[in-house]
PDB file of all heavy atoms in Angstrom:
ATOM      1  N   GLY A  44      -1.538  54.627 -37.890  1.00  0.00           N
ATOM      2  CA  GLY A  44      -2.790  55.033 -37.258  1.00  0.00           C
ATOM      3  C   GLY A  44      -3.586  56.095 -37.981  1.00  0.00           C
ATOM      4  O   GLY A  44      -4.605  56.564 -37.466  1.00  0.00           O
ATOM      5  N   TYR A  45      -3.182  56.474 -39.181  1.00  0.00           N
ATOM      6  CA  TYR A  45      -3.953  57.469 -39.935  1.00  0.00           C
ATOM      7  C   TYR A  45      -5.214  56.820 -40.507  1.00  0.00           C
ATOM      8  O   TYR A  45      -5.204  55.639 -40.867  1.00  0.00           O
ATOM      9  CB  TYR A  45      -3.113  58.037 -41.086  1.00  0.00           C
ATOM     10  CG  TYR A  45      -2.021  58.986 -40.638  1.00  0.00           C
ATOM     11  CD1 TYR A  45      -0.721  58.534 -40.430  1.00  0.00           C
ATOM     12  CD2 TYR A  45      -2.292  60.328 -40.414  1.00  0.00           C
ATOM     13  CE1 TYR A  45       0.286  59.399 -40.019  1.00  0.00           C
ATOM     14  CE2 TYR A  45      -1.292  61.202 -40.007  1.00  0.00           C
ATOM     15  CZ  TYR A  45      -0.008  60.736 -39.815  1.00  0.00           C
ATOM     16  OH  TYR A  45       0.982  61.588 -39.399  1.00  0.00           O
ATOM     17  N   PRO A  46      -6.324  57.586 -40.601  1.00  0.00           N
ATOM     18  CA  PRO A  46      -7.555  57.040 -41.192  1.00  0.00           C
ATOM     19  C   PRO A  46      -7.319  56.599 -42.634  1.00  0.00           C
ATOM     20  O   PRO A  46      -6.453  57.145 -43.331  1.00  0.00           O
ATOM     21  CB  PRO A  46      -8.537  58.227 -41.139  1.00  0.00           C
ATOM     22  CG  PRO A  46      -7.983  59.146 -40.093  1.00  0.00           C
ATOM     23  CD  PRO A  46      -6.498  58.974 -40.134  1.00  0.00           C
ATOM     24  N   SER A  47      -8.110  55.622 -43.095  1.00  0.00           N
ATOM     25  CA  SER A  47      -7.932  55.074 -44.445  1.00  0.00           C
ATOM     26  C   SER A  47      -8.019  56.158 -45.513  1.00  0.00           C
ATOM     27  O   SER A  47      -7.222  56.189 -46.458  1.00  0.00           O
ATOM     28  CB  SER A  47      -8.987  53.999 -44.720  1.00  0.00           C
ATOM     29  OG  SER A  47      -8.843  52.933 -43.818  1.00  0.00           O
ATOM     30  N   ARG A  48      -8.985  57.069 -45.372  1.00  0.00           N
ATOM     31  CA  ARG A  48      -9.179  58.121 -46.376  1.00  0.00           C
ATOM     32  C   ARG A  48      -7.935  59.011 -46.477  1.00  0.00           C
ATOM     33  O   ARG A  48      -7.497  59.370 -47.574  1.00  0.00           O
ATOM     34  CB  ARG A  48     -10.404  58.962 -45.995  1.00  0.00           C
ATOM     35  CG  ARG A  48     -10.718  60.106 -46.941  1.00  0.00           C
ATOM     36  CD  ARG A  48     -12.132  60.608 -46.668  1.00  0.00           C
ATOM     37  NE  ARG A  48     -12.301  60.928 -45.249  1.00  0.00           N
ATOM     38  CZ  ARG A  48     -12.084  62.150 -44.731  1.00  0.00           C
ATOM     39  NH1 ARG A  48     -11.707  63.129 -45.525  1.00  0.00           N
ATOM     40  NH2 ARG A  48     -12.272  62.373 -43.461  1.00  0.00           N
ATOM     41  N   VAL A  49      -7.354  59.356 -45.333  1.00  0.00           N
ATOM     42  CA  VAL A  49      -6.154  60.197 -45.315  1.00  0.00           C
ATOM     43  C   VAL A  49      -4.947  59.433 -45.848  1.00  0.00           C
ATOM     44  O   VAL A  49      -4.132  59.982 -46.595  1.00  0.00           O
ATOM     45  CB  VAL A  49      -5.877  60.718 -43.887  1.00  0.00           C
ATOM     46  CG1 VAL A  49      -4.542  61.457 -43.829  1.00  0.00           C
ATOM     47  CG2 VAL A  49      -7.003  61.622 -43.423  1.00  0.00           C
ATOM     48  N   ALA A  50      -4.847  58.153 -45.480  1.00  0.00           N
ATOM     49  CA  ALA A  50      -3.715  57.342 -45.932  1.00  0.00           C
ATOM     50  C   ALA A  50      -3.721  57.201 -47.452  1.00  0.00           C
ATOM     51  O   ALA A  50      -2.682  57.383 -48.112  1.00  0.00           O
ATOM     52  CB  ALA A  50      -3.755  55.965 -45.274  1.00  0.00           C
ATOM     53  N   VAL A  51      -4.880  56.889 -48.023  1.00  0.00           N
ATOM     54  CA  VAL A  51      -4.984  56.715 -49.476  1.00  0.00           C
ATOM     55  C   VAL A  51      -4.827  58.055 -50.199  1.00  0.00           C
ATOM     56  O   VAL A  51      -4.078  58.169 -51.172  1.00  0.00           O
ATOM     57  CB  VAL A  51      -6.327  56.059 -49.854  1.00  0.00           C
ATOM     58  CG1 VAL A  51      -6.476  55.998 -51.377  1.00  0.00           C
ATOM     59  CG2 VAL A  51      -6.424  54.660 -49.259  1.00  0.00           C
ATOM     60  N   GLY A  52      -5.536  59.092 -49.718  1.00  0.00           N
ATOM     61  CA  GLY A  52      -5.485  60.399 -50.364  1.00  0.00           C
ATOM     62  C   GLY A  52      -4.099  61.018 -50.319  1.00  0.00           C
ATOM     63  O   GLY A  52      -3.605  61.549 -51.321  1.00  0.00           O
ATOM     64  N   SER A  53      -3.441  60.949 -49.178  1.00  0.00           N
ATOM     65  CA  SER A  53      -2.093  61.506 -49.044  1.00  0.00           C
ATOM     66  C   SER A  53      -1.096  60.691 -49.867  1.00  0.00           C
ATOM     67  O   SER A  53      -0.154  61.247 -50.449  1.00  0.00           O
ATOM     68  CB  SER A  53      -1.668  61.520 -47.575  1.00  0.00           C
ATOM     69  OG  SER A  53      -2.544  62.328 -46.803  1.00  0.00           O
ATOM     70  N   GLY A  54      -1.308  59.373 -49.921  1.00  0.00           N
ATOM     71  CA  GLY A  54      -0.443  58.528 -50.742  1.00  0.00           C
ATOM     72  C   GLY A  54      -0.541  58.895 -52.211  1.00  0.00           C
ATOM     73  O   GLY A  54       0.464  58.987 -52.920  1.00  0.00           O
TER      74      GLY A  54
END
Side-chain angles (χ1 to χ4, degrees):
Y45 287 95
S47 298
R48 179 165 53 92
V49 173
V51 175
S53 299

